[in-house]
Amino acid sequence: MKLANRIDHMTGGTPDGWEIYYRTRDMIAAGEKILNLTIGEHDVKTDRAILDAMHGSAVRGNTGYSFGEGNVALREEIAGRVAARTGVPTTAQNVMVTTGGQAALFTSHMVLLDAGDRALFCDPYYTTYPGTIRATGAVAVAVPTRSSEDFQPQEAAISSVAQGAKTLLINTPNNPTGTVYSRQTLEGIARAVKAHDLWLISDEVYDTQVWDGEHLSPRTLPGMAERTVVVGSMSKSHAMTGSRLGWVIAPEPVIRAIAALATNMTYGVPAFIQDAALFALRRGEGFEAEVAAPFRRRREIAARVLKGANAIRVIPAQGAMYLMLDIRATGLSGKEFAVRLLEEERIAVMPGESFGQSAAGHLRVAMTIDDERFEEALTRLAAFAERLLP
Ligand code: PLP
């Protein structure tokens, strides 16, 4: 019996780039001690008070079908948060609650793209992006960025591939590079998007993790609210990765289309998870800063440990829970370096190539183990890189 071609088309029929991570997982399962800096997940678990709110809601009987778009109170809370932080008028009608940021990305592309459309995304990219785009039947087109420009997307690079395209997907603060797009970058993006009449899908799931400067949502720029779809999530901001709660902020027709899609797919997010999310959001910015604090600290540790390294250039770590290291001076590819680091030092990092060709010769380091082991891992990684210098 033959399956649909859709999934092969979505995956591109190639390895998904997570080979080092899978190998690390197997080695750990076999009892090996590995310093694992591959995966973007907090080392602290969801806060007990949030779990108590979730449990309390379920016990009170919130276990039935929920509203497909999300409960009104939660949608109003998210709209209020977005309006307060960006100044852009936003109501519950502009909010769709989704099963995590990933479903927000998926459904946004599903309602904006038809089969055969051209859809742009910036390289390096979060690993699901090309597959998410291809799942709609659209053609995924990479916009290259440069290490020497700290991976900030350039207006000219977007414009050169934008002819006939329908969407552009961006991500700031950025996974995998740790950069935060500057106002200048975002203004360039907005000009290109308007000139080519594109929808902008802005993935802002790391918006509470900014170490340098400020997060600017492109939806705030003139003429952009009506063509911007923002993806948000509780995963990173509130250490709630497993709860699967995210959202889309968009013009009302987009929200109505996503709601129709959800009716035929998920029905919506469980009500007790939504209640926990509402409780968590109402804890405010202080709690978000607490969740972000370990990454802020480790970024300082990295700056100290890697200062003066000859084999490594650190891409300015401005936000999100990652460091991007340029190791091209060693003469190895990111993949060769990562394999040898795992085999010889028992330290696991992701090769830049897993996130696209623009990050070749780089490594992505997730700052997701405790400070002491993080410092040890980086110290040994730096010494390993120095030994490789020709
Ligand atoms: N977008 C980016 C850039 C991410 O790094 C991730 C997860 O790592 C997601 C979206 C999806 O997150 P979630 O579905 O847990 O909200």
Coordinates of all heavy atoms in Angstrom, one line a residue, residues 114-168:
D114 N -0.6 28.6 -0.8 CA -1.2 27.6 -1.6 C 0.0 26.7 -2.2 O 1.1 27.2 -2.3 CB -2.0 28.2 -2.8 CG -3.3 28.6 -2.3 OD1 -4.0 27.9 -1.6 OD2 -3.7 29.8 -2.6
A115 N -0.3 25.5 -2.7 CA 0.7 24.7 -3.3 C 1.3 25.4 -4.4 O 0.6 26.1 -5.2 CB 0.0 23.4 -3.8
G116 N 2.6 25.4 -4.5 CA 3.4 26.0 -5.6 C 3.8 27.4 -5.3 O 4.7 28.0 -6.0
D117 N 3.2 28.1 -4.2 CA 3.7 29.4 -3.9 C 5.2 29.4 -3.4 O 5.7 28.4 -2.9 CB 2.8 30.0 -2.7 CG 1.5 30.4 -3.1 OD1 1.3 30.7 -4.4 OD2 0.6 30.6 -2.3
R118 N 5.8 30.6 -3.5 CA 7.2 30.7 -3.0 C 7.1 31.3 -1.6 O 6.4 32.3 -1.4 CB 8.0 31.7 -3.9 CG 8.6 31.1 -5.1 CD 9.0 32.2 -6.1 NE 10.1 33.0 -5.6 CZ 11.4 32.6 -5.7 NH1 11.7 31.4 -6.2 NH2 12.4 33.4 -5.3
A119 N 7.8 30.7 -0.7 CA 7.8 31.1 0.7 C 9.2 31.3 1.2 O 10.0 30.3 1.1 CB 7.0 30.1 1.6
L120 N 9.6 32.4 1.7 CA 10.9 32.7 2.1 C 11.2 32.5 3.6 O 10.3 32.7 4.4 CB 11.3 34.2 1.8 CG 10.9 34.7 0.4 CD1 11.3 36.2 0.3 CD2 11.4 33.9 -0.7
F121 N 12.4 32.1 3.9 CA 12.8 32.0 5.3 C 14.3 32.3 5.4 O 15.0 32.1 4.4 CB 12.5 30.6 5.9 CG 13.3 29.5 5.2 CD1 14.4 28.9 5.9 CD2 13.0 29.0 4.0 CE1 15.2 27.9 5.3 CE2 13.7 28.0 3.3 CZ 14.8 27.4 4.0
C122 N 14.8 32.7 6.5 CA 16.2 33.2 6.6 C 17.1 32.0 7.1 O 16.7 31.2 7.9 CB 16.3 34.3 7.6 SG 15.4 35.7 7.1
D123 N 18.2 31.9 6.5 CA 19.2 30.8 6.7 C 20.4 31.5 7.5 O 20.9 32.5 6.9 CB 19.6 30.2 5.4 CG 20.7 29.1 5.5 OD1 21.4 29.0 6.6 OD2 20.9 28.4 4.5
P124 N 20.8 31.0 8.6 CA 20.4 29.8 9.3 C 19.0 29.9 9.9 O 18.6 31.0 10.2 CB 21.5 29.7 10.4 CG 22.2 30.9 10.6 CD 22.0 31.7 9.3
Y125 N 18.4 28.8 10.2 CA 17.0 28.7 10.5 C 16.8 27.7 11.6 O 17.5 26.7 11.8 CB 16.2 28.4 9.3 CG 16.7 27.1 8.6 CD1 16.3 25.9 9.0 CD2 17.6 27.3 7.5 CE1 16.8 24.7 8.3 CE2 18.1 26.1 6.8 CZ 17.7 24.9 7.3 OH 18.2 23.8 6.6
Y126 N 15.7 27.8 12.3 CA 15.2 26.8 13.2 C 14.8 25.6 12.4 O 14.1 25.8 11.4 CB 14.0 27.4 14.0 CG 13.3 26.3 14.9 CD1 14.1 25.5 15.8 CD2 12.0 26.1 14.9 CE1 13.5 24.6 16.6 CE2 11.3 25.2 15.7 CZ 12.1 24.4 16.5 OH 11.5 23.5 17.3
T127 N 15.2 24.4 12.9 CA 15.2 23.2 12.0 C 13.8 22.9 11.3 O 13.8 22.3 10.3 CB 15.7 22.0 12.7 OG1 15.1 21.9 14.0 CG2 17.2 22.0 12.9
T128 N 12.7 23.2 12.0 CA 11.5 22.8 11.4 C 11.0 23.7 10.2 O 10.1 23.4 9.5 CB 10.3 22.9 12.4 OG1 10.1 24.2 12.8 CG2 10.6 22.0 13.6
Y129 N 11.7 24.9 10.0 CA 11.1 25.9 9.1 C 10.9 25.4 7.7 O 9.8 25.5 7.1 CB 12.0 27.1 9.0 CG 11.8 28.1 10.2 CD1 11.0 27.8 11.3 CD2 12.6 29.3 10.2 CE1 10.9 28.7 12.3 CE2 12.4 30.2 11.3 CZ 11.6 29.9 12.3 OH 11.5 30.8 13.4
P130 N 11.9 24.8 7.0 CA 11.7 24.3 5.6 C 10.6 23.3 5.6 O 9.7 23.3 4.6 CB 13.0 23.7 5.2 CG 14.0 24.2 6.2 CD 13.3 24.5 7.5
G131 N 10.5 22.3 6.5 CA 9.5 21.3 6.5 C 8.1 21.9 6.7 O 7.1 21.5 6.0
T132 N 8.0 22.8 7.6 CA 6.7 23.5 7.9 C 6.2 24.1 6.6 O 5.0 24.0 6.3 CB 6.9 24.5 9.0 OG1 7.3 23.8 10.2 CG2 5.6 25.3 9.3
I133 N 7.1 24.8 5.9 CA 6.7 25.5 4.7 C 6.3 24.5 3.6 O 5.3 24.5 3.0 CB 7.8 26.4 4.1 CG1 8.0 27.6 5.1 CG2 7.6 26.8 2.7 CD1 9.2 28.5 4.7
R134 N 7.2 23.4 3.5 CA 6.9 22.4 2.4 C 5.6 21.6 2.7 O 5.0 21.1 1.7 CB 8.1 21.5 2.2 CG 9.3 22.2 1.6 CD 10.4 21.2 1.2 NE 10.9 20.4 2.3 CZ 12.1 20.6 2.8 NH1 13.0 21.4 2.3 NH2 12.5 19.9 3.8
A135 N 5.2 21.5 4.0 CA 4.0 20.8 4.3 C 2.8 21.4 3.6 O 1.8 20.7 3.4 CB 3.8 20.7 5.8
T136 N 2.9 22.7 3.3 CA 1.7 23.4 2.6 C 1.7 23.1 1.1 O 0.8 23.5 0.5 CB 1.8 24.9 2.8 OG1 2.9 25.4 2.1 CG2 2.0 25.3 4.3
G137 N 2.8 22.5 0.6 CA 2.9 22.3 -0.8 C 3.7 23.5 -1.5 O 3.9 23.5 -2.7
A138 N 4.0 24.5 -0.6 CA 4.8 25.7 -1.2 C 6.3 25.3 -1.4 O 6.7 24.3 -0.9 CB 4.6 26.8 -0.2
V139 N 6.9 26.2 -2.1 CA 8.4 26.0 -2.3 C 9.1 26.9 -1.3 O 8.9 28.1 -1.2 CB 8.7 26.5 -3.8 CG1 10.2 26.3 -4.0 CG2 7.9 25.7 -4.8
A140 N 10.0 26.2 -0.5 CA 10.7 26.9 0.5 C 12.0 27.5 -0.1 O 12.8 26.8 -0.6 CB 11.1 26.0 1.7
V141 N 12.2 28.9 0.1 CA 13.3 29.5 -0.5 C 14.1 30.2 0.6 O 13.6 31.0 1.3 CB 12.8 30.6 -1.6 CG1 14.0 31.4 -2.2 CG2 12.0 30.0 -2.6
A142 N 15.4 29.8 0.7 CA 16.2 30.4 1.8 C 16.8 31.7 1.4 O 17.2 32.0 0.3 CB 17.4 29.4 2.0
V143 N 16.8 32.6 2.4 CA 17.5 33.9 2.2 C 18.8 33.8 3.0 O 18.7 33.7 4.2 CB 16.6 35.1 2.8 CG1 17.4 36.4 2.7 CG2 15.3 35.2 2.2
P144 N 19.9 33.8 2.3 CA 21.2 33.6 3.1 C 21.5 34.8 3.9 O 21.2 35.9 3.5 CB 22.2 33.4 2.0 CG 21.6 33.6 0.7 CD 20.1 33.9 0.9
T145 N 22.1 34.6 5.1 CA 22.7 35.7 5.9 C 24.2 35.4 6.1 O 24.6 34.3 5.8 CB 22.0 35.8 7.2 OG1 22.2 34.6 8.0 CG2 20.5 36.1 7.0
R146 N 24.9 36.4 6.6 CA 26.3 36.2 6.7 C 26.8 36.3 8.1 O 26.4 37.2 8.9 CB 27.1 37.3 5.9 CG 26.9 37.2 4.4 CD 28.1 38.0 3.8 NE 27.9 37.9 2.3 CZ 27.3 39.0 1.7 NH1 27.0 40.0 2.3 NH2 27.2 38.9 0.3
S147 N 27.8 35.4 8.4 CA 28.4 35.4 9.8 C 29.1 36.8 10.0 O 29.0 37.4 11.1 CB 29.5 34.3 9.8 OG 30.2 34.3 11.0
S148 N 29.7 37.4 8.9 CA 30.4 38.6 9.1 C 29.4 39.8 9.3 O 29.8 40.9 9.8 CB 31.2 39.0 7.8 OG 30.3 39.0 6.7
E149 N 28.1 39.6 9.1 CA 27.1 40.6 9.4 C 26.3 40.2 10.6 O 25.1 40.5 10.8 CB 26.2 40.9 8.2 CG 27.0 41.6 7.1 CD 26.3 41.5 5.7 OE1 25.4 40.7 5.5 OE2 26.6 42.4 4.8
D150 N 26.9 39.3 11.4 CA 26.2 38.7 12.6 C 24.9 38.1 12.3 O 23.9 38.1 13.1 CB 26.1 39.8 13.7 CG 27.5 40.3 14.2 OD1 28.4 39.5 14.0 OD2 27.5 41.4 14.7
F151 N 24.7 37.6 11.1 CA 23.5 36.9 10.6 C 22.3 37.8 10.6 O 21.2 37.3 10.7 CB 23.3 35.6 11.4 CG 24.4 34.6 11.3 CD1 25.3 34.3 12.3 CD2 24.6 33.9 10.1 CE1 26.3 33.4 12.2 CE2 25.6 32.9 10.0 CZ 26.5 32.7 11.0
Q152 N 22.5 39.1 10.5 CA 21.3 40.0 10.4 C 20.8 40.0 8.9 O 21.6 40.2 8.0 CB 21.7 41.4 10.8 CG 22.2 41.6 12.2 CD 21.2 42.0 13.2 OE1 20.1 42.5 12.9 NE2 21.4 41.6 14.4
P153 N 19.6 39.6 8.6 CA 19.1 39.5 7.2 C 19.2 40.9 6.6 O 18.8 41.9 7.2 CB 17.7 39.0 7.3 CG 17.5 38.5 8.7 CD 18.5 39.2 9.6
Q154 N 19.6 40.9 5.3 CA 19.8 42.2 4.6 C 18.6 42.4 3.6 O 18.2 41.5 3.0 CB 21.1 42.2 3.8 CG 22.3 42.0 4.7 CD 22.5 43.1 5.8 OE1 22.6 44.3 5.4 NE2 22.7 42.7 7.0
E155 N 18.2 43.6 3.5 CA 17.0 44.0 2.6 C 17.3 43.5 1.2 O 16.4 42.9 0.6 CB 16.8 45.5 2.7 CG 15.7 46.0 1.8 CD 15.5 47.5 1.9 OE1 16.3 48.2 2.7 OE2 14.7 48.0 1.1
A156 N 18.6 43.7 0.7 CA 18.9 43.4 -0.7 C 18.8 41.9 -0.9 O 18.3 41.4 -1.9 CB 20.3 43.9 -1.0
A157 N 19.2 41.1 0.1 CA 19.2 39.6 0.0 C 17.8 39.2 -0.1 O 17.4 38.2 -0.8 CB 19.9 39.0 1.2
I158 N 16.9 39.8 0.7 CA 15.5 39.4 0.7 C 14.9 39.8 -0.7 O 14.2 39.0 -1.4 CB 14.7 40.1 1.8 CG1 15.2 39.6 3.2 CG2 13.2 39.8 1.7 CD1 14.7 40.5 4.3
S159 N 15.1 41.0 -1.1 CA 14.5 41.5 -2.4 C 15.0 40.7 -3.5 O 14.2 40.5 -4.5 CB 14.9 43.0 -2.6 OG 14.2 43.8 -1.6
S160 N 16.2 40.2 -3.5 CA 16.7 39.4 -4.7 C 16.0 38.1 -4.9 O 16.1 37.6 -6.0 CB 18.2 39.2 -4.5 OG 18.5 38.3 -3.5
V161 N 15.3 37.6 -3.9 CA 14.6 36.3 -4.1 C 13.1 36.5 -3.9 O 12.3 35.5 -3.9 CB 15.1 35.2 -3.2 CG1 16.5 34.7 -3.6 CG2 15.1 35.6 -1.7
A162 N 12.6 37.7 -3.7 CA 11.2 38.0 -3.3 C 10.2 38.0 -4.4 O 9.0 38.0 -4.2 CB 11.1 39.3 -2.4
Q163 N 10.8 38.1 -5.6 CA 9.8 38.3 -6.8 C 8.9 37.1 -6.8 O 9.3 35.9 -6.9 CB 10.7 38.3 -8.1 CG 9.9 38.8 -9.3 CD 9.5 40.3 -9.1 OE1 10.2 41.1 -8.6 NE2 8.3 40.6 -9.5
G164 N 7.6 37.4 -6.7 CA 6.6 36.3 -6.8 C 6.3 35.5 -5.6 O 5.5 34.6 -5.5
A165 N 7.1 35.9 -4.5 CA 6.9 35.2 -3.2 C 5.7 35.7 -2.5 O 5.2 36.8 -2.8 CB 8.2 35.3 -2.4
K166 N 5.2 34.9 -1.5 CA 4.0 35.3 -0.8 C 4.3 35.6 0.7 O 3.6 36.4 1.3 CB 3.0 34.2 -0.9 CG 1.6 34.6 -0.8 CD 0.7 33.6 -1.5 CE -0.8 33.9 -1.2 NZ -1.6 32.7 -1.5
T167 N 5.3 34.9 1.3 CA 5.5 35.0 2.7 C 7.0 35.1 3.0 O 7.8 34.6 2.2 CB 5.0 33.8 3.5 OG1 5.6 32.6 3.0 CG2 3.5 33.7 3.5
L168 N 7.4 35.8 4.1 CA 8.7 35.7 4.6 C 8.6 35.4 6.1 O 7.9 36.0 6.9 CB 9.4 37.1 4.5 CG 10.7 37.3 5.2 CD1 11.8 36.3 4.7 CD2 11.2 38.7 5.2

